[in-house]
Amino acid sequence: MATRLVNCRVGLENKESTLPNQLKLDTEMLKKVLDVMLGFAKGGITMIVASHEMGFARAATDRVVCIDNGKMLSWMNPNDTNPKKSRTKEFLKHIL
């Protein structure tokens, strides 16, 4: 029931059995999905999300884990713009 409600909110009705690589997420749809997830976060729902969308991460999270080649580099506050690890700094420099 909850999945159907979310799917309707982002325009993915009747796509519950569709594989992720079969979905086309254009910019408008991506914004709808992120807005729904932001609403969940503001409502106190805990989520684990993998994303390169740092604006979303800052708005929706209280912790960010940076992972490189399957290994955790750092665990940080999403508003931290000066991480301690050089690899994390390098990554953030390219996406911010």
Side-chain angles (χ1 to χ4, degrees):
M1 179 68 172
T3 300
R4 184 169 298 278
L5 177 62
V6 171
N7 288 349
C8 290
R9 291 173 80 183
V10 298
L12 293 173
E13 300 87 357
N14 303 314
K15 300 285 185 181
E16 290 89 353
S17 61
T18 305
L19 297 173
N21 65 347
Q22 296 171 324
L23 295 171
K24 180 179 175 254
L25 282 177
D26 59 26
T27 305
E28 186 176 320
M29 174 133 351
L30 179 60
K31 180 171 177 1
K32 287 179 185 178
V33 170
L34 294 178
D35 286 347
V36 169
M37 292 172 67
L38 183 58
F40 288 159
K42 301 259 184 222
I45 294 174
T46 300
M47 297 178 286
I48 297 174
V49 178
S51 178
H52 289 107
E53 298 287 338
M54 292 305 290
F56 170 75
R58 282 188 171 137
T61 67
D62 57 5
R63 291 181 208 104
V64 172
V65 176
C66 292
I67 299 172
D68 185 36
N69 290 322
K71 295 185 179 168
M72 186 175 86
L73 288 178
S74 58
W75 178 277
M76 55 194 260
N77 178 303
N79 295 311
D80 185 356
T81 57
N82 191 22
K84 294 175 182 148
K85 304 265 180 155
S86 61
R87 178 65 182 112
T88 305
K89 283 182 186 182
E90 181 183 333
F91 172 73
L92 292 176
K93 177 177 74 174
H94 290 286
I95 65 165
L96 294 179

